[in-house]
Amino acid sequence: MTEFILYISFSILIGSLILYIIPENKKTTLKIPKKLLYLATILIPITAFFPVYRTANLLAVDLGFWFTLKNVLLTFEIGRSWLFISIVSIVLIFVLRMKKFAIRLHLKIWALAVTLLMLFGYTYSAHAATITEWQGFVVHTLHFLSITIWIGILFIISWFSRDKDNWIPFLKWFTPVAIICLIIASITGYLTMEIDIESYDDVNSSVLQDYQNSLIVNYGQALLIKHILIISLVLFAFINGFLFRKCQARDSFNPLKWTKLESGYALMIFGVTAFMGQSWPPHQIYNLIKAEGGSPLFNVLYDGDIVNIIQNAEHRDIFNVTMSFSPENYLLFVLGFLFLFLTIYSVMRKKSVFFSILFSFLMSISIYAGIILGIQ
């Protein structure tokens, strides 16, 4: 929950500050509560402290909590990052409180720069950064930054616009920005995934094999659900950015309800990503299954023996999940594409939010079931 709030807070800050800089004739009429920016700024160090607290609490067995907390803050990367984030957040509040902030462009740019410093402080202590040094830091930073720019702007426009004025001028610059962010997020997301699911049991295994192996634990299940939800997010982004352009001239057409739907999928992805942050990465599947068993969701749908085989193994060994797709699996994938088509149809022809959500949800279930039921 804390990471979910942190993702939203960064998105609100970055999206708002970018839109503050954009000229008035290239965006809708916005009413962004100043208190929202203060709240987001305060919530970032608060939510970022929870991993610090958990680390200190885990290590404070013999030395005491406060002594351990001090050591974590001063000697651990996660602690030093939190101190940096906290100091920078105070600076940001001072910048936001300046009297002429609303009319001075350089103050808005300063606020955005300070927010980016906070973001760098957060990604510096992320999982990918801690196990691969600067490479993981750069990749994760670019990934997180591209997502918060795209989703942050989308979220603020969707929920804090008073009207749809200047919608076409807005789309002319936002659509290319969203496409660039999507490309960067896709590339860096793949590289981050390589780091996060890399097997320590079998150093020669491929990324695909690591992905398959991860599906039997919580992290892998969440990763698969996240990727499927991204299909819906990109689908509605394509609809809003391209297919709806012909409808903009109609006074009765309201694009904001559809961007709200798109932002809703983004929030679900944030929630799943936050859950992944609280789950053990599948670096050592054997030890993870021995300690915690398989994912509850996986256990409900899977009727094979792979989890029991690992749990009952007397010796540590390499266990690989295999996939085999039958006609039933391919039928589920076909149903997924059918529901994708029906989603587009319900949006373009019926303009029905309910049916577009229903069909996109059924699409996600079909694709998910087709993959999971293919596990041997």
Side-chain angles (χ1 to χ4, degrees):
M1 184 63 180
T2 55
E3 288 195 35
F4 176 68
I5 296 173
L6 185 138
Y7 299 155
I8 295 176
S9 298
F10 268 120
S11 298
I12 287 173
L13 277 176
I14 291 177
S16 298
L17 293 173
I18 289 176
L19 286 167
Y20 270 133
I21 297 171
I22 298 296
E24 296 296 329
N25 63 345
K26 295 185 182 299
K27 61 186 178 184
T28 59
T29 306
L30 292 169
K31 180 61 177 179
I32 307 172
K34 200 70 173 292
K35 292 181 180 179
L36 180 66
L37 301 184
Y38 293 144
L39 179 62
T41 304
I42 293 170
L43 284 175
I44 287 174
I46 291 176
T47 53
F49 180 74
F50 280 83
V52 178
Y53 172 81
R54 285 195 297 268
T55 302
N57 195 48
L58 184 65
L59 299 176
V61 178
D62 300 319
L63 300 177
F65 175 75
W66 293 110
F67 180 80
T68 305
L69 178 61
K70 177 184 175 182
N71 284 338
V72 170
L73 289 173
L74 298 178
T75 61
F76 283 52
E77 287 184 356
I78 191 173
R80 293 196 296 264
S81 293
W82 181 80
L83 289 174
F84 177 79
I85 290 171
S86 300
I87 294 171
V88 174
S89 67
I90 295 172
V91 175
L92 179 58
I93 288 178
F94 276 108
V95 176
L96 293 174
R97 285 182 60 83
M98 290 184 178
K99 291 183 179 180
K100 297 184 178 180
F101 175 80
I103 59 175
R104 293 293 178 87
L105 179 61
H106 73 278
L107 291 178
K108 300 172 186 178
I109 294 174
W110 268 110
L112 180 59
V114 172
T115 303
L116 293 179
L117 284 177
M118 275 203 300
L119 185 144
F120 297 155
Y122 168 70
T123 56
Y124 181 74
S125 62
H127 177 70
T130 57
I131 63 177
T132 58
E133 298 181 354
W134 69 270
Q135 293 174 331
F137 167 68
V138 171
V139 169
H140 188 259
T141 299
L142 289 174
H143 182 70
F144 191 58
L145 180 59
S146 61
I147 292 296
T148 50
I149 291 174
W150 173 22
I151 302 305
I153 295 172
L154 173 69
F155 186 81
I156 296 301
I157 283 289
S158 300
W159 296 95
F160 297 99
S161 290
R162 287 184 166 183
D163 50 47
K164 63 172 185 174
D165 292 350
N166 302 317
W167 190 254
I168 293 298
F170 165 72
L171 285 182
K172 284 183 178 179
W173 69 263
F174 177 64
T175 301
V177 168
I179 291 172
I180 293 171
C181 287
L182 175 61
I183 292 172
I184 294 174
S186 299
I187 296 172
T188 55
Y190 175 80
L191 296 175
T192 303
M193 183 187 71
E194 272 191 320
I195 297 171
D196 289 339
I197 67 173
E198 180 184 8
S199 174
Y200 296 167
D201 295 329
D202 182 8
V203 294
N204 296 317
S205 64
S206 64
V207 177
L208 179 59
Q209 186 61 63
D210 291 340
Y211 193 103
Q212 291 177 187
N213 291 345
S214 73
L215 293 176
I216 64 178
V217 296
N218 285 331
Y219 190 98
Q221 284 287 302
L223 182 62
L224 175 61
I225 293 172
K226 176 181 176 179
H227 288 159
I228 294 173
L229 287 175
I230 288 173
I231 297 174
S232 294
L233 175 64
V234 173
L235 173 62
F236 282 104
F238 175 75
I239 291 171
N240 288 327
F242 295 99
L243 299 187
F244 271 159
R245 283 181 181 255
K246 296 180 181 180
C247 304
Q248 306 302 330
R250 303 176 192 168
D251 293 335
S252 60
F253 178 72
N254 180 18
L256 295 176
K257 70 176 182 179
W258 296 102
T259 57
K260 286 178 180 178
L261 177 57
E262 183 184 343
S263 67
Y265 277 101
L267 291 179
M268 285 191 284
I269 292 172
F270 278 171
V272 175
T273 305
F275 175 79
M276 291 169 60
Q278 304 302 312
S279 304
W280 288 104
H283 295 307
Q284 296 175 304
I285 290 293
Y286 176 83
N287 290 341
L288 196 54
I289 293 295
K290 280 283 190 179
E292 298 187 355
S295 164
L297 180 58
F298 175 77
N299 290 334
V300 169
L301 299 173
Y302 177 71
D303 60 357
D305 299 320
I306 183 68
V307 174
N308 290 330
I309 290 174
I310 296 175
Q311 286 183 319
N312 296 326
E314 297 181 359
H315 303 286
R316 183 190 185 91
D317 202 349
I318 296 174
F319 296 91
N320 285 328
V321 173
T322 58
M323 308 284 290
S324 178
F325 294 139
S326 64
E328 289 80 5
N329 298 96
Y330 290 113
L331 177 59
L332 286 168
F333 294 142
V334 170
L335 282 175
F337 282 108
L338 175 61
F339 287 129
L340 185 149
F341 172 78
L342 289 174
T343 300
I344 298 175
Y345 177 80
S346 63
V347 171
M348 300 305 299
R349 296 296 182 184
K350 300 298 183 182
K351 300 295 188 295
S352 171
V353 173
F354 172 78
F355 283 108
S356 63
I357 293 175
L358 174 63
F359 289 134
S360 64
F361 180 68
L362 292 173
M363 175 191 70
S364 300
I365 292 178
S366 300
I367 297 173
Y368 173 82
I371 293 173
I372 294 302
L373 296 179
I375 296 177
Q376 301 300 299

